[in-house]
Amino acid sequence: MARSVTAKKSVKPGKPPYVLDEQVGFILRQVWQRHSSIFSRDIGTNLTPTQWAALSKLAETGPCSQNQLGRLTAMDVATIKGVIDRLTARGLTETSRDPEDGRRLLVSLTRAGQQLSEKVAPNALAITRETLAPLEPKEREMLMALLNKLR
């Protein structure tokens, strides 16, 4: 009896419906990791990106409520509280009751916090420049415009 041998065809898999390397979230995370590495290397002081965000926003706006600062820096209530607690422990921020609303806590920079924010600002600008360095000037503008549109 003759056996029928069927040749197995190599099935080349088609493109899967979800390719991780093509997903915006994955790409943004990789870009964030690169930026974080540059930040850690070049900030010039022992600050995390969230601590720097709080310091720089306070330097920009002046005293504001902890809740408002959280909104301005895109941090939830628990995160901004921890950031401010750590900055206050380092003598960079201070909190006080709002004279107009005693329930509200105002956060402000101390003299040391103001001095540090002024000292670190040039490093932070250099970090942004290095993060965007692979792009041409027009591409940088376009990227920032597109990212702002996605906010």
Side-chain angles (χ1 to χ4, degrees), residues 84-97:
I84 295 305
D85 287 349
R86 286 184 288 282
L87 291 173
T88 299
R90 291 177 61 184
L92 300 173
T93 58
E94 58 191 4
T95 58
S96 60
R97 293 282 167 206

Side-chain angles (χ1 to χ4, degrees), residues 3 5-6 19 25 27-28 38 54 58 68 73 111 117 134 151:
R3 289 175 95 185
V5 178
T6 55
V19 177
I27 294 167
L28 288 172
I38 296 166
L58 285 170
Q68 178 68 11
T73 57
R111 181 181 195 97
S117 71
R151 279 187 184 181

Side-chain angles (χ1 to χ4, degrees), residues 27-67:
I27 294 167
L28 288 172
R29 186 167 58 93
Q30 289 178 312
V31 172
W32 170 249
Q33 288 170 334
R34 179 175 167 270
H35 174 75
S36 292
S37 175
I38 296 166
F39 181 93
S40 295
R41 184 191 72 210
D42 294 348
I43 196 62
T45 189
N46 188 25
L47 288 173
T48 66
T50 53
Q51 290 169 345
W52 171 243
L55 283 178
S56 65
K57 187 52 81 171
L58 285 170
E60 182 184 330
T61 65
C64 66
S65 75
Q66 191 167 289
N67 285 338

Side-chain angles (χ1 to χ4, degrees), residues 7-15:
K8 289 188 177 181
K9 282 187 172 180
S10 292
V11 177
K12 190 173 184 181
K15 182 177 177 181

